[in-house]
Amino acid sequence: MDSLLTRVASLERSVCSVESNTQVENLLAQVALIERQLGKTLDEHPALALGFDKYETLRDVIDGDGDLELDRRMLGVDAKMELILLNGDFQKTLSSVRAIRDLQSRINQPEYAAAAELLPQLRKIELQHDDQTSGFVQVVADISSIVDRYHAETEALSEIFISWDRMLNSIERKVSTLEAAKAAND
């Protein structure tokens, strides 16, 4: 009980600024006095000073001073999703979120890490591909030339055979005419 009375007396001194039976009436003077007493206490107790420094950096998170931005940062994923659904463009946003979730499994896969290691081999393959492409173009040109010569020779042979067929037909008609004339004479 004595410790409780001691604490209440200490609290009265801090709040009412009663120190050595002197009442400080100015509020600014009371705040300055409290700050001096706090500074003295923090100097005497380094562990309290460290805790107070940590509190100062985390004050917004601990106190929750009603800052909407802080509340927004502290919301869970489900609560954020509900806020998004309340938005007028929620369908577009929802489809974007779903697409991102679907694609997240494909990001930073082990195959992508190995791709950087295989880049020098890819460069060699690209050079070989370029060489093969130029070789392919040359082979296509050669084949086109051979096919053109084949068509030209086939055309020439066709003309020779057509001409030979006409000559044979002409000879057969003349032989038939001569045979018919000889048969008529006999």
Side-chain angles (χ1 to χ4, degrees):
M1 188 71 164
D2 288 331
S3 66
L4 182 61
L5 290 175
T6 307
R7 288 182 182 175
V8 170
S10 174
L11 182 63
E12 283 178 349
R13 272 196 315 270
S14 297
V15 171
C16 297
S17 295
V18 176
E19 190 170 300
S20 305
N21 296 328
T22 305
Q23 179 76 24
V24 178
E25 295 180 8
N26 186 349
L27 188 58
L28 291 175
Q30 287 178 1
V31 169
L33 180 63
I34 291 171
E35 284 179 350
R36 281 194 305 270
Q37 288 175 346
L38 178 63
K40 190 186 300 181
T41 304
L42 291 176
D43 288 342
E44 292 171 0
H45 304 287
L48 285 176
L50 180 63
F52 190 71
D53 289 341
K54 288 182 180 178
Y55 170 77
E56 285 297 321
T57 58
L58 299 173
R59 176 183 283 182
D60 293 338
V61 176
I62 294 170
D63 290 346
D65 60 354
D67 183 16
L68 290 177
E69 179 64 28
L70 175 67
D71 291 342
R72 203 173 310 135
R73 279 186 268 139
M74 293 180 67
L75 289 176
V77 174
D78 294 334
K80 288 179 183 178
M81 184 62 83
E82 288 180 23
L83 287 174
I84 290 171
L85 292 175
L86 292 175
N87 187 358
D89 298 327
F90 73 93
Q91 287 295 339
K92 181 179 175 185
T93 306
L94 184 61
S95 65
S96 297
V97 168
R98 285 182 181 153
I100 290 170
R101 281 186 182 169
D102 291 342
L103 294 174
Q104 279 182 339
S105 63
R106 295 183 176 104
I107 295 174
N108 295 331
Q109 289 186 353
E111 293 86 14
Y112 295 144
E117 296 169 3
L118 298 174
L119 198 58
Q121 292 176 354
L122 177 64
R123 299 288 183 235
K124 291 177 186 175
I125 292 171
E126 284 177 341
L127 291 174
Q128 289 176 351
H129 176 70
D130 290 341
D131 293 343
Q132 289 175 349
T133 301
S134 62
F136 174 74
V137 169
Q138 182 60 41
V139 168
V140 167
D142 291 346
I143 290 173
S144 294
S145 172
I146 291 170
V147 168
D148 289 342
R149 279 194 326 220
Y150 169 79
H151 286 306
E153 289 176 8
T154 304
E155 182 69 27
L157 286 174
S158 293
E159 289 179 12
I160 291 171
F161 284 126
I162 290 171
S163 169
W164 183 56
D165 186 49
R166 285 184 191 150
M167 283 193 281
L168 287 177
N169 285 337
S170 171
I171 292 173
E172 283 181 6
R173 274 183 293 201
K174 288 183 182 177
V175 167
S176 296
T177 308
L178 288 175
E179 286 179 351
K182 184 176 177 186
N185 285 342
D186 284 337

